[in-house]
Every structure is written in structure tokens, then in C-alpha cells.
């Protein structure tokens, strides 16, 4: 038992990215958790939104060999004029089709892993972290959506002397967040919109709890790096930028904010997963608008970085 939350030695993830340079200080290994309580229109990791693990098929990669149908133990795949079609009700995500397909047309959206296996991968990179602030970052999805597994990994990484970052939306029970904070060296905390109605419209949840949690972390002295995903037509207007600047400037011990310009490179992921991309009509961030955002935020005495 880890305080308020039972430790869990298994969890679901969708990727582990080695040698990451944008997920916290210096070089990092980033573990991407599955499951998120938000549904942001511009989410870059749609495969992390659901806790569920399923198989997906890219019809444009299929060469029509039929090998996947031969090995499927549940006859969940049938050939159609446009390629193999999957009966999700019959599919058990055993992965046989993925292992067999010569064209790599089948993929899983995640896997269940043991903490030991994750730590084994992280430990391989530990030599690159020595002498720097490099370390491990837990992202997603939302890592706080699997608190027991997150705490187990944080605790183990702490025993290895690794710098630990949690990349979060901040949408979690305050007691849970503060418990996680005891095992966290830095939070990357997203501020998506200051208006609660607009926040709920574009993310699916209100922002009251998020703002309260951020204030609580700052007040208790937990290191926080705030990030503003700058989404054209959503949160890049002067009113929201001024509200963001004023709020961040009023936080204890917080002096900076990272502005993250929007891009649509995740669009192909949605098509692959058969999901609607609500950000399809959002244009790429204009450099002039990014600089305008920087000037407004700097007007509140904040240190502003582009990217991060």
C-alpha cells in the first residue's frame, strides 16, 4: 500500500519513447499511459484516450494475402472488397494477426505491462541521464487515471535516483494529486482554457478542479512547469491569454510558462483508429499569433518559452 492508493504492478500503456527531448528537462524516457478523462479536440495522442486495448487494421497497407485470417483463433477477420474487416466483438486482441501480417497492416492500440518490464527499459537509458536532469516522464493519455500503477513506477524510479516528471491535465482528485506529488520531481501541467464553459466545450470537462489543483501544487511548493497548448480560434484570443497570464503570475513559486504552437500531425492517427478528429478545421498556428501570445504573457512578468 502506498499511502492513500494501493500499488499496482500492472497497467496499460500505448508506447515508451526513448531519448525524448520535449517531455521535461534534458534527455528522457517517456512512458505513455492509456486512458484520459478529457477529450480535447486537438489531442495528439488519440490512442491514449481509451483504457481499452483493441486491434486496428490499416486497409491501405493490406496486400490481400489472407494470412491474418488463417491464424486468427476466433475468426474475427473476414475479407471484404476493401480489405480485412474485423469483428471487434469476436476479437480478443491476442495479436496473432499483427505478428503474422507481412505488410504490417494490423496494430494494437496498447498493451498491459508489468512494472518490472517498464523499469527494465528505463534502466537501459539511465547512463544517459547521469550528470543531468534527464530521467523518466509519465505521460498519456492521463497518467493520473492509473494512480496505483503510476505510484508504483514513481516509487521504483525514485529508488534508482531517477528524475521523475508527471505530464498531466490536472484533472484528478486533489488528495490523489498531492499524494502523487510526494513521489514526483516536476509536473508538466497543461492550462487549456481559463473560461470554464469554453474549457468544457473543447475538452469535455470543466476547469474548476484543474485550476484548484494547480494552485494547491504551487502553494505547497511542488515544482510545476505550466504549458499552454496554443490552439487557433480556441484559446489564443487576447482575453484568454490575459486571463492565463494573470492566473499564472499569481501562483506561488511559478515564474514561467511554455507556449506550445498547434500542428495537425496527429490527423492520420484518427483515421487509422476510425475516430473523428474534431481539430480537423483548426489551422496551424501562425508565427505572428504565437509571438503575440508571448508578448501578452510576458506582460505579466512571466518567462515564456516557445515549445518545451
Amino acid at each position: 500500500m502506498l499511502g492513500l492508493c494501493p500499488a499496482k504492478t500492472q497497467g496499460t500503456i500505448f508506447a515508451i519513447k526513448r531519448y525524448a527531448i520535449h517531455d521535461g528537462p534534458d534527455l528522457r524516457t517517456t512512458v505513455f499511459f492509456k486512458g484520459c478523462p478529457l477529450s480535447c479536440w486537438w489531442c495528439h495522442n488519440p490512442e491514449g484516450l481509451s483504457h481499452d486495448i483493441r486491434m486496428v487494421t490499416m486497409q491501405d497497407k493490406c496486400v490481400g494475402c489472407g494470412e491474418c485470417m488463417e491464424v486468427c483463433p476466433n475468426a474475427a477477420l473476414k475479407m471484404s472488397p476493401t480489405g480485412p474487416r474485423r469483428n471487434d466483438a469476436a476479437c480478443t486482441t491476442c495479436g496473432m494477426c499483427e505478428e503474422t501480417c507481412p505488410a504490417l497492416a494490423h496494430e494494437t492500440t496498447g498493451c498491459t505491462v508489468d512494472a518490472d518490464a517498464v523499469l527494465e527499459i528505463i534502466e537501459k537509458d539511465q547512463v544517459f541521464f547521469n550528470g543531468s536532469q534527464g530521467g523518466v516522464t509519465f505521460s498519456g493519455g492521463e497518467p493520473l487515471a492509473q494512480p496505483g500503477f503510476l505510484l508504483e513506477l514513481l516509487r521504483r524510479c525514485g529508488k534508482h535516483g531517477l528524475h521523475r516528471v508527471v505530464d498531466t491535465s490536472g484533472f484528478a482528485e486533489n488528495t490523489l494529486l498531492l499524494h502523487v506529488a510526494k513521489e514526483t520531481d516536476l509536473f508538466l501541467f497543461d492550462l487549456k482554457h481559463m473560461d470554464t464553459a469554453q474549457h468544457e466545450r473543447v475538452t469535455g470537462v470543466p476547469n474548476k478542479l484543474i485550476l484548484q489543483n494547480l494552485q494547491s501544487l504551487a502553494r505547497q511548493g511542488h515544482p510545476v512547469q505550466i504549458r499552454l497548448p496554443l490552439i487557433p480560434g480556441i484559446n489564443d484570443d487576447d482575453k484568454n491569454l490575459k486571463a492565463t497570464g494573470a492566473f499564472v503570475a499569481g501562483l506561488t513559486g511559478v515564474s514561467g510558462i511554455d507556449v506550445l504552437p498547434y500542428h495537425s500531425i496527429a490527423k492520420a492517427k484518427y483515421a487509422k483508429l476510425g475516430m473523428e478528429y474534431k481539430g480537423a478545421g483548426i489551422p496551424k498556428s501562425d508565427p505572428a499569433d504565437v509571438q503575440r501570445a508571448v508578448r501578452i504573457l510576458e506582460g505579466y512578468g512571466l518567462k515564456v518559452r516557445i515549445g518545451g
Side-chain angles (χ1 to χ4, degrees), residues 138-187:
F138 299 104
S139 186
E142 173 53 69
L144 293 173
Q146 297 185 59
F149 188 51
L150 174 62
L151 280 163
E152 177 70 9
L153 290 172
L154 286 169
R155 182 183 63 82
R156 293 195 188 193
C157 287
K159 287 186 174 181
H160 283 77
L162 292 168
H163 185 268
R164 301 159 296 177
V165 168
V166 173
D167 183 0
T168 181
S169 68
F171 191 76
E173 291 184 9
N174 182 258
T175 52
L176 169 62
L177 179 66
L178 294 180
H179 189 53
V180 168
K182 296 176 183 178
E183 298 286 348
T184 301
D185 299 301
L186 174 67
F187 284 96

Side-chain angles (χ1 to χ4, degrees), residues 155-222:
R155 182 183 63 82
R156 293 195 188 193
C157 287
K159 287 186 174 181
H160 283 77
L162 292 168
H163 185 268
R164 301 159 296 177
V165 168
V166 173
D167 183 0
T168 181
S169 68
F171 191 76
E173 291 184 9
N174 182 258
T175 52
L176 169 62
L177 179 66
L178 294 180
H179 189 53
V180 168
K182 296 176 183 178
E183 298 286 348
T184 301
D185 299 301
L186 174 67
F187 284 96
L188 300 182
F189 200 111
D190 283 2
L191 272 185
K192 304 175 192 293
H193 209 296
M194 294 304 297
D195 181 85
T196 191
Q198 289 299 319
H199 191 284
E200 186 165 10
R201 182 176 74 90
V202 299
T203 73
V205 302
N207 67 359
K208 182 178 179 180
L209 176 60
I210 292 170
L211 298 180
Q212 289 176 339
N213 278 338
L214 180 50
Q215 290 172 322
S216 181
L217 285 175
R219 188 166 52 248
Q220 295 196 22
H222 298 291

Side-chain angles (χ1 to χ4, degrees), residues 77-96:
L77 290 165
K78 300 292 182 182
M79 186 59 74
S80 75
T82 58
R85 294 293 177 184
R86 185 181 307 275
N87 180 348
D88 288 329
C91 179
T92 60
T93 63
C94 67
M96 291 295 294

Side-chain angles (χ1 to χ4, degrees), residues 264-276:
S264 61
I265 60 174
K267 185 176 180 180
K269 289 186 180 182
Y270 286 82
K272 180 174 72 175
L273 295 168
M275 297 171 62
E276 176 190 5

Side-chain angles (χ1 to χ4, degrees), residues 90 133 142 159 214 225 230 247 281 305:
Q133 276 195 309
E142 173 53 69
K159 287 186 174 181
L214 180 50
Q225 180 63 45
L230 196 67
F247 181 82
R305 297 189 307 176

